[in-house]
Amino acid sequence: MADHSKGATLDGLTSVQHPPGQTEPRKRAFMDVISDDKYYKWMLVIPLILVLCIFMFYPLFYCMYYSLHEFGMVKAATWTGLENYRDVLQDGEFWLALGRTGYVLCLSIGAELIIGMSIAVLFNREFFGQNAIRGMILLPLLIAPLAVSMMWNFFLQYDFGIVNLFLGLFGIPKVSWFAPGTGLNTIAAISIWQWAPFSIFVLLAGLKSLPRDSFEAARVDGGGPWYVFRRLTLPNLAPLIMIIVLLRTMWLIRLFDPLYGTTRGGADTELLDWQIYRNSFVYFDIGRGSALAIISLFLTMIICGILFRQLMRALSGANR
Amino acid sequence: MKKVLFWALTFLVFFTFVSPLIWMYLTSFKTNADIYTQEISKMFYFTPVLANYKTLFFKTEFFRELINTIIISGVSTVLVMLVALPAAYSFARWETGHGHLLFVTISTRMFPAAVAAIPFFMAFKALGMLDMHIGLLLLYLYFNVSFAVFLLYGFFREIPPELEQAAQVDGYGRLDIFRKIVFPMIKPGAAITAIFCFIFSWNEFLYAFLFTRNIARTLTMGMASFWASGQIDWGTMAACVCLAILPTLAAAWFMQRYIIRGLTFGAIKG
């Protein structure tokens, strides 16, 4: 009730606009306390906090708890301390999966940035039908990743896949795309096909918003196109490139659907998320699965911290 | 000369990103003989048939999966908006929690899917909620809420606070301000956010795969089941994929201006 004084001033203001007696005074006082900003703003986030508690903190503590236990769903869980973590860190398969995930990360993001930058520079002009072409190229972005991978699985079939037949026209022998050794690259390529448009249009948005005058000045001063690109364009686009790298890292670390649609973790393509799935839902080794999940979470949290700072910087920059 | 080069490159880009989709739609109208043919000419000149769609409609559970997907995506989107709209408004207007709460919210988006999958699999098993719409629906609420809060936060920040202050002076209550001043201005942003949440739920596979079997299975599960069987029926699979991605293609076409903004959590206006 300490906030009644503030409510009273609001009442005073309102009575100027509306004839008094239109609303009941007692009901008003209660509404004023509720709608005082100090309480109101917290009331609005209560549903969110509830959702976070249920869906974030419960699973987190559950995973932490069982990662310290031997638990196979049949027998009761027994305390084993850091045993699960030691097993995981000593397991060659874990390091292989981690290495493959890192490889796919570097390959996809590198290729997407190079392709994205080239096409963004190509499209950074006015041309006939630019909106239609832009719209068409954006199409792959929202398709279900599983559908994309199954689609490419069909195109890349050894015997009758269109890609192998097409290459055959140029005399190139058939390639088995999902064999050990090539499988991982194929999965990265599928991901690149779907997500290159993302890089293209993020960088294009950046190119379109570059300050014109400094480029004019550089051109007048006799800077060649390559010099201007390296010294002016790239530094200006650095925050956007940062955002692409961080968002893609975040999505690629949990790459799962393209694996299911193609090799299903076989042919030396098992990535981190698939290993978690295999341990916890195929072998039902909940303890070990939880330990893997916590490790994966820590890796992502480090990236998440950087991402958030970058996003906030970009947001405040855009509002200025 | 420069122009020719530009159009050649543009065509190449266009071909790379669009032709696979066209090829998929062509395949869905082919007979098995035309699918397995090795002759390039026969791959383009074929008599279109609807056999694949007939198989899909009458021999598989396609319609049930479609209805399940619509129910689960739709209801979870409504729930997400009910939670995210007030929260994002609070964050944008009063910096509730000084950014820390917002940080915690966004960090859920970066959680490996398995961190939630393992505990909720056990919990739903105990509660008998596996293979029920409500289980998947609640997981999609969790899956989308941080994204929705963050995107809406950006939209709310575009509304000048002066408008609300003016309304307050005019004697509007807090609820009225939200209903009559803020909501009409946030409507387009809210619609875009809702469509994104709907599509993300529509496309989601891992949770659908782990938490549904028969009754509540979604379209992505239906697609995956073609690949799971020994003899793969590519034609019917193509038909299934083509129909399942149709709404997302339509959304991508009509929301082109907002896709980049949405996918970057509002950081880049596109």
Side-chain angles (χ1 to χ4, degrees):
Chain A
M1 287 296 129
D3 301 279
H4 194 259
S5 56
K6 203 176 174 189
T9 51
L10 257 177
D11 267 351
L13 268 175
T14 35
S15 59
V16 181
Q17 305 289 333
H18 297 287
Q22 214 173 30
T23 45
E24 261 176 81
R26 205 169 280 163
K27 202 174 167 189
R28 241 216 124 88
F30 172 74
M31 282 308 288
D32 282 338
V33 173
I34 288 291
S35 61
D36 182 1
D37 288 1
K38 215 166 99 194
Y39 299 102
Y40 185 66
K41 68 174 188 184
W42 284 104
M43 267 178 48
L44 291 177
V45 289
I46 286 173
L48 179 72
I49 291 175
L50 275 177
V51 170
L52 288 183
C53 285
I54 298 170
F55 289 97
M56 187 175 170
F57 297 117
Y58 163 66
L60 198 58
F61 288 123
Y62 185 103
C63 279
M64 281 183 178
Y65 179 78
Y66 280 107
S67 71
L68 302 173
H69 288 74
E70 160 108 52
F71 183 38
M73 274 170 107
V74 188
K75 280 184 285 178
T78 48
W79 170 266
T80 53
L82 291 170
E83 186 93 9
N84 281 321
Y85 289 98
R86 209 190 61 200
D87 278 356
V88 166
L89 293 178
Q90 284 178 349
D91 183 9
E93 282 194 30
F94 166 73
W95 293 105
L96 270 176
L98 193 65
R100 284 184 202 124
T101 310
Y103 174 74
V104 170
L105 264 175
C106 296
L107 185 64
S108 306
I109 296 175
E112 279 167 33
L113 280 178
I114 292 168
I115 295 170
M117 187 58 101
S118 334
I119 299 179
V121 170
L122 179 74
F123 282 179
N124 188 23
R125 66 195 76 196
E126 303 285 317
F127 57 91
F128 175 73
Q130 53 178 349
N131 286 333
I133 290 174
R134 177 197 155 98
M136 297 282 233
I137 293 171
L138 277 168
L139 287 179
L141 274 178
L142 293 187
I143 303 174
L146 180 76
V148 170
S149 64
M150 297 192 69
M151 210 168 93
W152 279 100
N153 186 11
F154 170 62
F155 298 151
L156 295 169
Q157 284 294 309
Y158 182 81
D159 293 320
F160 56 91
I162 177 80
V163 175
N164 272 348
L165 292 184
F166 185 73
L167 291 178
L169 287 183
F170 302 100
I172 300 167
K174 286 183 176 178
V175 181
S176 75
W177 295 99
F178 296 107
T182 49
L184 205 56
N185 294 323
T186 310
I187 286 168
I190 292 172
S191 180
I192 293 166
W193 179 80
Q194 182 167 23
W195 287 99
F198 176 68
S199 296
I200 297 174
F201 289 104
V202 168
L203 293 172
L204 188 58
L207 285 177
K208 290 225 157 118
S209 66
L210 288 177
R212 285 266 164 80
D213 342 346
S214 46
F215 283 85
E216 298 278 311
R219 215 159 291 144
V220 171
D221 288 350
W226 176 241
Y227 181 84
V228 172
F229 178 79
R230 211 162 43 98
R231 284 301 169 87
L232 267 175
T233 314
L234 269 188
N236 269 308
L237 291 183
L240 297 191
I241 294 174
M242 205 56 198
I243 286 177
I244 294 175
V245 170
L246 291 163
L247 279 173
R248 287 296 290 139
T249 307
M250 180 184 116
W251 290 324
L252 280 166
I253 276 189
R254 43 195 291 186
L255 203 68
F256 181 85
D257 306 10
L259 283 188
Y260 193 90
T262 54
T263 59
R264 303 178 129 195
D268 289 343
T269 58
E270 186 174 77
L271 301 178
L272 207 50
D273 234 31
W274 189 275
Q275 198 162 58
I276 301 175
Y277 154 74
R278 191 166 54 94
N279 274 297
S280 22
F281 295 103
V282 181
Y283 301 154
F284 285 108
D285 188 345
I286 299 296
R288 186 165 189 168
S290 300
L292 274 167
I294 293 291
I295 292 171
S296 164
L297 175 66
F298 264 104
L299 289 175
T300 348
M301 278 312 254
I302 298 165
I303 298 157
C304 161
I306 311 166
L307 166 70
F308 187 74
R309 215 160 291 158
Q310 291 289 331
L311 275 179
M312 288 316 273
R313 202 173 292 163
L315 267 178
S316 57
N319 282 343
R320 223 178 283 134
Chain B
M1 185 58 215
K2 220 174 164 186
K3 228 170 174 182
V4 173
L5 189 69
F6 169 77
W7 281 108
L9 286 173
T10 304
F11 177 76
L12 189 71
V13 172
F14 183 76
F15 179 80
T16 314
F17 290 109
V18 181
S19 62
L21 294 173
I22 297 172
W23 193 248
M24 204 61 188
Y25 277 93
L26 286 180
T27 305
S28 73
F29 292 106
K30 282 181 185 175
T31 59
N32 265 342
D34 286 326
I35 287 172
Y36 289 110
T37 184
Q38 303 273 341
E39 286 168 64
I40 296 282
S41 62
K42 270 196 192 155
M43 297 183 107
F44 289 95
Y45 300 104
F46 61 92
T47 356
V49 287
L50 287 173
N52 294 323
Y53 287 95
K54 255 184 211 152
T55 321
L56 182 68
F57 291 159
F58 301 114
K59 296 246 171 74
T60 69
E61 301 279 359
F62 179 77
F63 284 111
R64 206 174 66 189
E65 287 157 8
L66 182 69
I67 290 165
N68 279 340
T69 312
I70 292 171
I71 292 172
I72 291 169
S73 307
V75 178
S76 81
T77 302
V78 172
L79 290 179
V80 166
M81 294 311 279
L82 285 178
V83 173
L85 264 175
Y89 178 55
S90 175
F91 287 137
R93 187 73 177 72
W94 294 284
E95 299 277 330
T96 312
H98 303 288
H100 297 298
L101 192 56
L102 192 57
F103 175 71
V104 172
T105 312
I106 189 88
S107 67
T108 59
R109 185 71 181 182
M110 280 136 235
F111 269 38
V115 171
I118 299 170
F120 280 100
F121 187 82
M122 307 302 271
F124 287 175
K125 211 176 117 166
L127 294 168
M129 266 161 67
L130 285 179
D131 204 8
M132 276 175 73
H133 294 75
I134 180 122
L136 201 55
L137 204 146
L138 288 173
L139 280 169
Y140 287 170
L141 165 67
Y142 148 80
F143 176 75
N144 276 329
V145 80
S146 57
F147 165 79
V149 167
F150 215 75
L151 195 56
L152 284 171
Y153 171 76
F155 283 117
F156 273 122
R157 289 200 14 159
E158 284 175 2
I159 300 175
E162 290 80 14
L163 267 178
E164 290 173 54
Q165 280 152 13
Q168 203 161 17
V169 171
D170 280 352
Y172 278 100
R174 274 266 152 243
L175 269 176
D176 281 337
I177 291 179
F178 188 80
R179 229 182 44 213
K180 291 183 184 156
I181 314 275
V182 179
F183 190 69
M185 295 188 73
I186 202 74
K187 247 198 238 160
I192 289 156
T193 312
I195 295 172
F196 266 110
C197 290
F198 189 85
I199 290 173
F200 287 148
S201 309
W202 186 280
N203 287 347
E204 209 284 331
F205 173 63
L206 180 58
Y207 289 143
F209 171 58
L210 293 176
F211 289 89
T212 64
R213 282 288 168 275
N214 299 307
I215 304 159
R217 54 190 248 162
T218 61
L219 272 177
T220 42
M221 270 296 278
M223 263 188 254
S225 67
F226 284 101
W227 181 219
S229 53
Q231 184 70 40
I232 305 160
D233 186 356
W234 292 106
T236 316
M237 188 207 87
C240 182
V241 167
C242 286
L243 287 183
I245 67 175
L246 210 53
T248 54
L249 288 181
W253 180 256
F254 289 112
M255 303 209 311
Q256 8 176 318
R257 278 180 55 213
Y258 298 100
I259 288 179
I260 294 302
R261 180 168 182 170
L263 289 175
T264 54
F265 292 68
I268 293 157
K269 297 282 169 351

